[in-house]
Each structure stands twice: as C-alpha cells, then as structure tokens.
Amino acid sequence: MPNKVELNNDYPDITRSDEYYHKALELIPSVTQTLAKGPGQNIKGIAPKYLDRGKGSHVWDVDGNEYIDYLMGIGPLSLGYCYEAVDNAIKAQLNKGITFSLMHPLEVEVAEMINKIVPNAESVRYSKTGADVTSAAVRVSRAYTGRDKILCCGYHGWHDWYISVTDRNKGIPQIIQDLTYTFNYNDIDSVINSIDDETACVILEPFVFQAPEHNFLHDLRRVCSENGTILIFDEMWTGFRVSLGGAQEYFGVDADLACFSKAVANGMPISILTGKKEIMNVLDKEVFFYTTFGGEALSLAAAKATIMELRDKQVPGYLARQGKILREGYNKTAEGLGMNYTKCLGFDCRTIITFDTAAGNPLEMKSLVQQEMIKRGILWGGFHNMSFSHSDNDIKYTLKVYKEVLPILKKAIDEKNVSGYLRGIPVEPVFRKTSNFNSKPKQKEAKI
Ligand SMILES: Cc1ncc(COP(=O)(O)O)c(C=O)c1O
C-alpha cells in the first residue's frame, strides 16, 4: 500500500519513480529541467523522483504515495494545485484558443491590473521564464545607460550574463564573464566599492531570507541614482507573495525595473517585466525582446484569475500567518531540545531551515531531516514555500512531525553519526563557488 500523510511505518516505495529515473539517465542529460526538482536536491534512494498529481497542498508521486508539499513547484503554486478559480479560467480560455495570430486582449487587461497593483509598473511586458525577464531588464539597462557592466547578488537564471559568476560557467565567452560582478547583500560598502561610471545596473532580490538592515535598500536606491545606474528588483520570490505589490510596496523603495514570474499565475509559465516608462521605452524601437509565446493566452488567463484571487482573498496575509506558525513552531521544538544549531528563518511567506556547520555537515543534516519528513508524508526540501492551500491541519500535522523528526537528528548528532542514519545519498550543493566576487569592475584603459 502506498504511504499517506500519516506516521507511516516505513519509507515510501519508489519503484516507479526509479524506473522513470533509469530511463531518464539514458535520455536526459542531468535528468532534470529544473535543478531544484532534480535528484541532487533530494536524498537518493528514499525521496520520490516523479510526481503524478496534486490537489491543494497535497501531491501524489507516481507510486501513489501522498505528501504535503512544501516546495510548491519551487514557487509558482501560490494558491495551490488544481485551484478551481484558476483552472476554470484556463479551461474557459482553452475553449477559445491558446496562441493566436494577432495580439490578444488579455495582454492589455493583465497589464492594466499590474499597472494598478505594482509600484512603478508604468510599462509592462510579458515573457515565459524568470531568466527571460531578468535578461531583458539587463539589456534594457545597458541600452538606456549606454554602459555594459552589471552588479548582482543572488540567483537570476541560466543566461550568460548571470551564470558566468558561478562555477557552472562553461560555454560562456570570457568577454561576457568579465562584465558581471557580485556584491554582498546588506553591505552597501561592497556596492559603493564596485559601482562605477560603467555600471549599467544593479540587480538583486530585495531579500532572500535575510531582512534588509541599516536602510540597505534605500541606500542602494540612492547610490544607484547618484551613479546613473538602473536598479532592478528580481521579484521572482517576493512578488505577489510578501505583499501584492511586491517588495517595492512592502519596503517603500522604488526600483527602476522589476521582474516577476513564479507566483503570478499559479503554475502557468509567464513572466513579467515592469518599470518606469522612460526606461522601458527603449523596448519600442531600440531593444529587441520578442518571442513566439510571449502573449500566450492560457497563461495570461491564469495570471488574471490568480491576481484577482490573491487580491480578493488577501493571500499574502494568509501566507505570512501560516508561515509564522510553522517558523515559530519549528524553533520552539528545536530550542526545547537544546538544538541551537538548527533554526527556521526568513520572511514568513517563505522560510528556510538552516543547519550550523558547528554541529556537522549541513547537507547530511538536511538529508536526514528530509528522509524522515518524507517517511511521514511530507515533501520537504528545507523550505516552507507557503501557499493559500496550506491548511491549519497541514500546519498542525507538520509541527507534530517536526516533534518526531528533530529528536532523531539530535540523537544522530549527539552520537556524531549523522551519515550512519542516512539510508540514501545526501543532497548536493547547487553551486560550489561564485567568481568575480565583490570586485571592482575593471576600468577602461585611459586613452592617450
Ligand atoms: C530569484 C530568481 N530569479 C530568477 C530565476 C529564474 O527564473 P526561471 O527559472 O523561471 O528562469 C529564479 C528561479 O528560480 C529565481 O529564484
């Protein structure tokens, strides 16, 4: 019998998952299309690898095992799986057509909504992926400023300009790698030391898990303005989640350009570039940013229905309330057990569980917790990506499971034998290093 969301006696049977996996090993390099969903991020031998269906906050893997999902498609399922209002909008649009030969009215209708909700969204463009719009924002910044260099901080997608700073940078010409530099979040000096009159843009997630400190975002705004540099907010995780208008609204800071995707269409593939008209106007004639499926109507219909639901049901507030109960509950259990090496941190709509290296190998600790959560019917990757479908019962059950699982981790650590408790291969790091770190962009050689 497949496992359910309960204190199961054994780990799930993942025979069918493994059958697909072994076929994929032959056919699909790296096996996955999204690194965070791949086998490297889940304890191999225990975690399911392929999901079949979902409803609300629950998913079923291809072997029929059921789980509460805290990954939620790595962000997009802001409302939940098979959410009726969104699915009905998709079905209604499906009956009329998916992709058309001329523009579609939904392009205008959704733009009007975004313009009202998102600060500084004087202009709006669509595409399909987060990387599309962060890359468009970078190109727009370069075109508008006539400069080439980029300062970034965090993850922004697979395109050359960003991924060149990581150790997965094969295939990217050195000349491109030399144009992107990184700075430290919450360290305005690291920006000031790097920004110069060749810096087209500073791009960052307004926050990841750490809150902005000492007026960091406001200072960043000022430094960019003083330097004639475009400030881009990558709001893939913050947008429509921390508040309806995203981080610009939440913190009262104006970005020049802001990029959205994930939460905006409850799982349909759409991304949105917004920004000040004067800057976005370079998209009119100078910058080329067009793609066949940019105005695809099912995703726009889903975005319209999702945004209405997020607004009418005040979903950001719900995510924060449920996330807070989980965060506080986790920390209370850990503290009660004297486990000061693990904490749940972050903004309540999306929190992370951290493991301190002082207690052992964090990847092994995370893998052990994941293994035991999965046994008890919780699909867990070290995050609480909250959705509107995470019910009070889900939260209550999850906290009960933490009370069972954390003592297992404690025992393993006390015995200095976490790896001995693992029944599979631990999770892997995503990137091992970033380069061009916190370094000053090279100056042009002086003309003689
Ligand atoms: C902050 C951030 N920016 C950009 C991206 C890239 O988005 P996509 O994977 O849709 O290209 C991601 C994806 O996880 C992200 O988390």
Side-chain angles (χ1 to χ4, degrees):
M1 284 294 285
N3 276 1
K4 293 199 162 43
V5 176
E6 60 189 26
L7 305 178
N8 298 294
N9 288 329
D10 210 344
Y11 301 89
D13 176 358
I14 54 167
T15 309
R16 296 206 67 201
S17 259
D18 277 339
E19 281 167 14
Y20 279 109
Y21 176 59
H22 286 115
K23 286 182 191 168
L25 282 174
E26 293 299 314
L27 287 166
I28 303 177
S30 101
V31 182
T32 184
Q33 326 305 319
T34 309
L35 198 56
K37 300 182 189 179
Q41 295 308 300
N42 294 290
I43 177 163
K44 243 181 253 161
I46 294 293
K49 296 186 181 66
Y50 292 87
L51 293 178
D52 176 46
R53 68 192 170 93
K55 178 69 194 162
S57 58
H58 288 218
V59 285
W60 287 259
D61 69 15
V62 289
D63 290 275
N65 303 297
E66 182 184 354
Y67 310 86
I68 302 173
D69 186 353
Y70 282 108
L71 308 174
M72 297 313 274
I74 322 298
L77 280 304
S78 48
L79 295 170
Y81 291 93
C82 295
Y83 191 89
E84 224 179 335
V86 180
D87 284 7
N88 287 343
I90 295 169
K91 285 176 198 159
Q93 185 56 47
L94 187 60
N95 285 332
K96 297 205 271 180
I98 303 170
T99 295
F100 293 88
S101 311
L102 297 176
M103 298 179 289
H104 194 278
L106 279 167
E107 295 170 43
V108 184
E109 290 171 26
V110 175
E112 282 179 316
M113 291 174 88
I114 304 271
N115 169 265
K116 280 205 186 82
I117 288 171
V118 175
N120 299 304
E122 295 168 2
S123 301
V124 178
R125 282 289 307 267
Y126 307 106
S127 196
K128 287 287 124 197
T129 71
D132 284 358
V133 284
T134 55
S135 300
V138 163
R139 191 180 290 173
V140 163
S141 305
R142 283 172 160 164
Y144 183 78
T145 59
R147 304 170 178 183
D148 287 340
K149 287 175 181 166
I150 303 161
L151 288 178
C152 68
C153 165
Y155 179 75
H156 302 292
W158 73 276
H159 289 338
D160 286 5
W161 69 266
Y162 167 69
I163 215 69
S164 68
V165 299
T166 73
D167 69 347
R168 291 286 288 263
N169 60 0
K170 281 274 152 50
I172 301 171
Q174 189 62 44
I175 195 165
I176 302 293
Q177 299 189 29
D178 287 345
L179 294 174
T180 305
Y181 296 83
T182 58
F183 61 93
N184 291 331
Y185 187 75
N186 266 341
D187 179 358
I188 196 67
D189 287 341
S190 74
V191 180
I192 292 169
N193 291 338
S194 299
I195 203 164
D196 65 10
D197 63 4
E198 294 185 344
T199 312
C201 59
V202 170
I203 178 168
L204 80 164
E205 290 184 77
F207 64 83
V208 182
F209 296 105
Q210 208 184 344
E213 286 166 6
H214 314 301
N215 248 356
F216 176 69
L217 293 177
H218 292 84
D219 283 351
L220 190 60
R221 170 69 278 174
R222 182 180 45 76
V223 168
C224 285
S225 298
E226 285 170 3
N227 197 63
T229 294
I230 302 292
L231 176 61
I232 306 169
F233 274 4
D234 176 340
E235 298 234 34
M236 299 308 152
W237 278 103
T238 50
F240 300 91
R241 203 181 286 272
V242 66
S243 81
L244 205 57
Q248 294 188 81
E249 176 178 75
Y250 190 80
F251 295 113
V253 179
D254 292 335
D256 297 307
L257 302 172
C259 307
F260 301 85
S261 185
K262 296 204 189 275
V264 76
N266 199 41
M268 290 296 278
I270 186 168
S271 54
I272 303 173
L273 172 63
T274 70
K276 295 185 181 154
K277 211 185 198 80
E278 192 200 328
I279 301 166
M280 292 279 280
N281 275 349
V282 297
L283 287 162
D284 244 350
K285 293 266 180 327
E286 296 150 271
V287 169
F288 192 92
F289 176 44
Y290 300 103
T291 179
T292 304
F293 295 113
E296 173 266 313
L298 289 192
S299 299
L300 284 162
K304 184 177 166 184
T306 302
I307 293 169
M308 274 168 25
E309 208 64 11
L310 294 173
R311 181 193 61 199
D312 295 349
K313 305 262 165 71
Q314 300 179 5
V315 170
Y318 181 89
L319 305 184
R321 277 193 303 283
Q322 298 295 69
K324 182 171 187 240
I325 300 171
L326 269 182
R327 179 175 57 77
E328 291 182 346
Y330 182 93
N331 288 335
K332 197 170 156 209
T333 301
E335 278 161 27
L337 291 162
M339 300 169 72
N340 59 1
Y341 43 80
T342 178
K343 288 200 168 41
C344 182
L345 307 170
F347 283 71
D348 290 323
C349 57
R350 181 196 180 208
T351 52
I352 185 173
I353 314 288
T354 61
F355 300 96
D356 199 332
T357 42
N361 177 341
L363 293 174
E364 286 182 0
M365 292 188 257
K366 177 174 169 180
S367 303
L368 178 56
V369 174
Q370 186 183 56
Q371 164 184 302
E372 298 305 317
M373 299 297 281
I374 283 171
K375 180 179 175 190
R376 292 159 179 82
I378 298 180
L379 194 62
W380 186 95
F383 306 96
H384 301 135
N385 295 339
M386 302 310 296
S387 86
F388 192 50
S389 294
H390 283 115
S391 66
D392 292 347
N393 276 344
D394 289 335
I395 307 290
K396 220 164 110 186
Y397 177 72
T398 306
L399 290 178
K400 178 171 144 184
V401 169
Y402 278 137
K403 280 192 185 143
E404 289 228 339
V405 169
L406 287 181
I408 300 173
L409 176 65
K410 181 179 160 59
K411 187 163 185 281
I413 287 175
D414 289 349
E415 291 170 11
K416 298 194 180 352
N417 187 23
V418 176
S419 62
Y421 279 76
L422 294 179
R423 293 172 168 243
I425 302 168
V427 299
E428 298 161 6
V430 176
F431 300 119
R432 280 176 190 81
K433 70 172 176 66
T434 54
S435 58
N436 280 3
F437 187 75
N438 208 4
S439 48
K440 194 165 174 62
K442 283 179 207 150
Q443 303 287 331
K444 260 191 259 163
E445 276 175 36
K447 286 195 186 120
I448 303 170

